[in-house]
Structure formats: structure tokens, C-alpha cells
Amino acid sequence: MDFTLTEEQRLLVETIREFVRRELKPLEEGVETSGYLADEVASEIQEKSRGLGLYAINIPREFGGGGLSVLEWMMAEEQFGRTSDILIRRAFGNVYEILLEASEKQKQTYLLPAVRGERTFSIAFTEPEAGSDAAAIKTKAERSGKGWILNGAKHFISDGLFSDFFVVTAVTDPATGARGISTFIVEKGMTGFTVGRDQPMMGLRGTSHVEMQFKDVVLSNDHLLGHEGQGLKLALATLGRVRLAQVVARSIGKATLVMDQCLDYARERRQFGAPIGDFQMVQQMLADSAMEINATRLALWHTASRLDAGEEVRGSISMMKVQAAEMMGRVVDRAVQIFGGAGYCRDLPIERYYRDARIYRIYDGTSEIHRAVLAKQMMRGDSSVYDIYG
Ligand SMILES: Cc1cc2nc3c(=O)[nH]c(=O)nc-3n(C[C@H](O)[C@H](O)[C@H](O)COP(=O)(O)OP(=O)(O)OC[C@H]3O[C@@H](n4cnc5c(N)ncnc54)[C@H](O)[C@@H]3O)c2cc1C
């Protein structure tokens, strides 16, 4: 077992860290204040990221991506995690692996332009009546001639204002429950497809989260992604790694950044004639955060290595999702405490980190749902999630 980074891996980490520090961090405050990232700035970020070979770095080389292993992808995402959600989206591309399941024709129309940064897309599964219970969706696609007619509504869809197309779940066979759900690609501008209100959120300023309606949207078979009735299976098979990357690795990156700032503050801020870092109760908070960050990263690397080895790690992904989201919550909460009033005041970014971190326990499956998945996996006899010799 060797955790030494190769020269290439070290270079990858340093390149992204420096790119984030130099190009993205200076934009954060402006986005936070205005709640908006101008399209021309977004394009500049995409261009610079592409120039460094960082855009769509998770996608295999044969489709124009960076071709990273899962472990390297996690290292890259950790570094992107050091900035705001919207800036990561523009720099990294968020090209979800679900499009790798597309047909050859669909790959030409959707995947390749997405990898080149010419088109952006979002995942649209959640509905007002169906969040955790993804199989309870009401959006339906009915056969019509050689195609489909789509009707329904989604909400909370990230980046919906910016995205050009959406991967949407819809019921195609109401009689068969979860096995009657299919996935479609729906393009902005299609007749009957409306991108609605940008729903205001606690944090993640600059990223839109939209409602959308489908009213008699005409789709052809070329819009069906994967096989009919395989929608949830497809999502399950392809979104696990995304969870690991976008929640787990990014949490670790954010927590590491916050930790650096806590240490600087604990050295500089003086009370009772001494740096606050000299007080044991502050030291305990620093030590607890460091221990949790380190443990989460090592567990992520282990899960990523297992994925690279082709192992089935569904339970471990759920475990990592909860562990990282909750670690992040505790680290930012301690950060507010260490910074005292300055941590609560909007003059510093600490309160923003605190608000932004809260979503991690909710999206991509809540902590409760992932705990349930993990427990079920263990109850079925899989002890590998806690006993690596098992
Ligand atoms: C900022 C943001 C961005 C998002 N982006 C996207 C996106 O891009 N695409 C997309 O499709 N969705 C997106 N979502 C939706 C997100 O994935 C859902 O909010 C999430 O899955 C939870 O669903 P829900 O909000 O309907 O909560 P609910 O499912 O109603 O859950 C409410 C509470 O009940 C608990 N609960 C529910 N069922 C159980 C159970 N069986 N056992 C124990 N507890 C349970 C939950 O854990 C939670 O605490 C986003 C949401 C937000 C807030």
C-alpha cells in the first residue's frame, strides 16, 4: 500500500491548486455579493481551464477528456473544492459520466460538445413530490408514433439557467414501478419546455437552482438515454462516482482550506495576552478537525482505489458521502467558533463556508438515505465497508 503521489499526480494537484488560487478565488466575493457570474467571465474561466487541460478532466481521453483514474479524479476534485460551487462548475465542466452511456449519435451531439465546453448540462431527477424517493416521480413520457410526449415538472435543478440540455427521468411504464422509469435528454428551447423560477437558496450564491415544466414536449427515440425502463439503474450505476467526487472530494478540499485559515487565525488572534491557539479548548477544535479531514481523505483514496480495481463499492460510497458531508459540517462549525464574532460576520468568508457546507448533507442523497443504503448493504452480509479483510 503506497500513498506516495507520483510526479504526475503531484503536478496535477499543484496545477489545480494554483489555478484556483490565482484565477478563481479573486472572483468569489463578487459572485457572493452579486449572486451572479457574468457569461463572459464564465467563458474566460472555461477557456483558461481548457488551456491547462483541466476541463472535463474526469472523462476518458477517447472522448476528449483528461482520462484520469478515479483516484486522480478525486485528487483533482479536492483541489477544485477550495472555491465556490459556480466557479468549480465553469472550471471543471461538471460533465457527468452518465453521458458515457449515450449512443454513438448522442455522444456526437451531447457528450463531445460538453467535453469541449460548448454545451453544458444538468441532471434533472428531483420533483416537488419526489426527492429521496426517486421512483415516485410523476413526470411521464408516453409513446407517440416513433417518439415520446413528455409531461411533468422538476425542481431544485442546479445550474438550470446556464445549462443547454438536461438529463431528465420520466415514467415510461407506470405498471412496473422503479423499473418503469427511463432517462431522456431534453434540450432548452424545445416547444413546451419551460425553465422557470430560480429558487433562492441558503448558500451556493451564483449557482441557479430552477423549477422546470414539460408540457407536451415532443421527443424522438434519439432523446432516450440508455434503454427504456433502465433510467434508475443507469443513474445508480453512473452517479456514485460523481457523488464521491462532487461531495466527498470537494468537502475535503473545502475543509482543508478552512483548516488553513483556522490555523492562521489561531496564531494571529491574541486574547488574554496570548494567541488563541495557545488555549487548549481551541487546540482541541483544531486537532479534531485535522483528524477528521485526514481520516476522510484516506478513506476516500481507499474507496477510489477499489473503484479503479473494478470493485463494487456502493455501500462505501454511501458511507463516504455521509462521513465527508458531516465532517465538513463540523469543521466549518468549529471554524465559526474559532473565529468568534469575526466568524459570524459577513466581512470574512467563514460564514459563507458555513452556509455553503450545509447542502452537502442534503443533495446527492440525504445523510439519512445513505445511512439506510449502508445499513441494508451490511444487513445483506457485506462487511467490506468496515472490515477490509472481509
Ligand atoms: C441546492 C440544491 C441543489 C440540488 N440540485 C439538484 C440537481 O441538480 N438535480 C436534481 O435532480 N436534484 C437536485 N437537488 C435535489 C436534492 O437531491 C434533494 O433535495 C434531495 O435528494 C432530498 O430530497 P427532498 O428535498 O425532496 O427531501 P425529502 O426526500 O422530502 O426528505 C425530507 C427529509 O426526510 C428524510 N427522509 C426521506 N425519506 C427517508 C427515509 N426513507 N428514511 C429516513 N429519512 C428519510 C430525508 O433524509 C430528509 O431529512 C438539489 C437540491 C438542493 C437543495
Side-chain angles (χ1 to χ4, degrees), residues 3 35 44 65 82 89-90 127 134 143 172 193 216 218 250 271-272 286 289 295 321 328 372-373 387:
F3 287 136
E44 271 172 40
R82 296 172 71 91
R89 286 174 184 277
R90 298 299 162 262
E127 301 185 0
R143 278 236 173 247
T172 44
F193 174 31
D216 295 330
V218 178
R250 288 182 192 176
Q271 289 293 285
F272 301 97
L286 294 170
S289 289
K321 189 339 181 134
M328 175 71 196
V373 171
D387 178 4

Side-chain angles (χ1 to χ4, degrees), residues 211-267:
E211 295 171 332
M212 47 183 57
Q213 284 85 35
F214 312 103
K215 186 154 182 358
D216 295 330
V217 179
V218 178
L219 301 173
S220 73
N221 272 332
D222 285 340
H223 293 106
L224 177 67
L225 181 62
H227 299 290
E228 185 181 343
Q230 304 277 302
L232 285 190
K233 205 171 158 198
L234 188 69
L236 213 63
T238 55
L239 292 181
R241 294 155 178 245
V242 173
R243 230 161 240 154
L244 216 50
Q246 297 190 358
V247 174
V248 180
R250 288 182 192 176
S251 295
I252 297 167
K254 279 195 202 334
T256 306
L257 173 87
V258 169
M259 189 68 205
D260 289 343
Q261 296 181 3
C262 286
L263 282 168
D264 285 345
Y265 195 74
R267 286 187 201 104

Side-chain angles (χ1 to χ4, degrees), residues 123 125-126 131-132 156-158 209 359 362-364 366 368-369:
I123 301 287
F125 292 176
T126 306
S132 301
F156 294 160
I157 307 309
S158 299
H209 300 94
I359 188 59
I362 297 171
Y363 67 11
D364 273 321
T366 64
E368 292 73 29
I369 294 298

Side-chain angles (χ1 to χ4, degrees), residues 175-195:
T176 51
R179 288 194 307 280
I181 291 176
S182 306
T183 311
F184 294 88
I185 296 173
V186 183
E187 302 201 31
K188 208 179 253 178
M190 281 180 154
T191 306
F193 174 31
T194 318
V195 172

Side-chain angles (χ1 to χ4, degrees), residues 365-386:
T366 64
S367 287
E368 292 73 29
I369 294 298
H370 283 293
R371 278 194 168 86
V373 171
L374 176 61
K376 277 183 198 148
Q377 185 109 353
M378 292 188 293
M379 294 294 281
R380 279 199 296 265
D382 178 4
S383 59
S384 70
V385 285
Y386 62 91

